[in-house]
Amino acid sequence: MKINAFIVDYNSGNLHSVKSAINSLNIKTLISNNPNKMKNYDAIILPGVGSYKRAIEYLKKKRLFDEIINLSDKQKPILGICLGFQLLFSRSNEFGVNDGLNLIQGEVKKLESKVGFSDKVPNIGWKKIEMLNQWRNSPLQDNSNDDLMYFIHSYYAIPKDNKIITSVSYHNNISFCSSICKKNIFATQF
């Protein structure tokens, strides 16, 4: 069965690198900000990189915000990457308090930077992810705790329900949620 994916263009992010990676899996993609086209695709991808506040404002302006929620309610698969992961949550405190898609209850907060530590903000680089028991039900099931993933972020998500956390990673020796899986939604901070 051939599938296709809609890559949400919210005027920010790494759209073409995500498209290239998905196309290499022989999956047809479309990068668009047209909410009417989104329903014709098998899956939705929210890519990463950018400002939470600006991304949410753009999603609302282009009527993508409500359509993403509507299609999620209809169990359309959604993949969130980096900022796309954070947009799925209830709110963020980046540039003031901003409401998100609220598909995942929880909030996004700023990472702490400690003087003298090598792990300053932003968190940038290849880091290990620690798989939790829930990872067996996620797309990460073929990965191991020795796998390295690339991170570049200053904020981290805190899900209200810890049962949806599939992996954690560390910054300044403090663990943070690095991936989640809930029904039709899978998302990663890396």
Side-chain angles (χ1 to χ4, degrees), residues 5 13 23 47-48 59-60 66 93 128 130 145 147 165 168 183:
N23 288 157
L59 289 174
K60 288 180 178 179
D66 290 334
N93 67 6
K128 286 187 179 185
E130 181 181 313
N145 283 325
D147 288 341
I165 300 173
V168 295
K183 297 180 183 173

Side-chain angles (χ1 to χ4, degrees), residues 34-75:
N34 184 336
N36 298 323
K37 292 183 179 183
M38 194 182 312
K39 62 181 159 260
N40 298 324
Y41 283 76
D42 301 314
I44 300 167
I45 299 173
L46 283 165
V49 184
S51 159
Y52 190 101
K53 180 179 180 176
R54 286 187 182 149
I56 289 295
E57 288 172 351
Y58 191 84
L59 289 174
K60 288 180 178 179
K61 176 183 170 185
K62 294 294 186 176
R63 299 182 345 267
L64 292 158
F65 187 92
D66 290 334
E67 188 62 17
I68 291 168
I69 294 169
N70 177 48
L71 292 173
S72 176
D73 289 345
K74 293 179 179 176
Q75 300 304 304

Side-chain angles (χ1 to χ4, degrees), residues 123-148:
N123 179 25
I124 301 175
W126 293 95
K127 299 198 176 185
K128 286 187 179 185
I129 56 172
E130 181 181 313
M131 300 296 187
L132 304 180
N133 286 335
Q134 299 89 315
W135 74 271
R136 289 184 186 95
N137 298 323
S138 81
L140 286 177
Q141 61 188 323
D142 292 335
N143 293 60
S144 75
N145 283 325
D146 294 328
D147 288 341
L148 296 174

Side-chain angles (χ1 to χ4, degrees), residues 86-102:
Q86 295 176 4
L87 296 174
L88 297 168
F89 284 80
S90 306
R91 73 193 52 80
S92 171
N93 67 6
E94 182 181 1
F95 300 115
V97 177
N98 298 283
D99 291 335
L101 289 162
N102 198 32

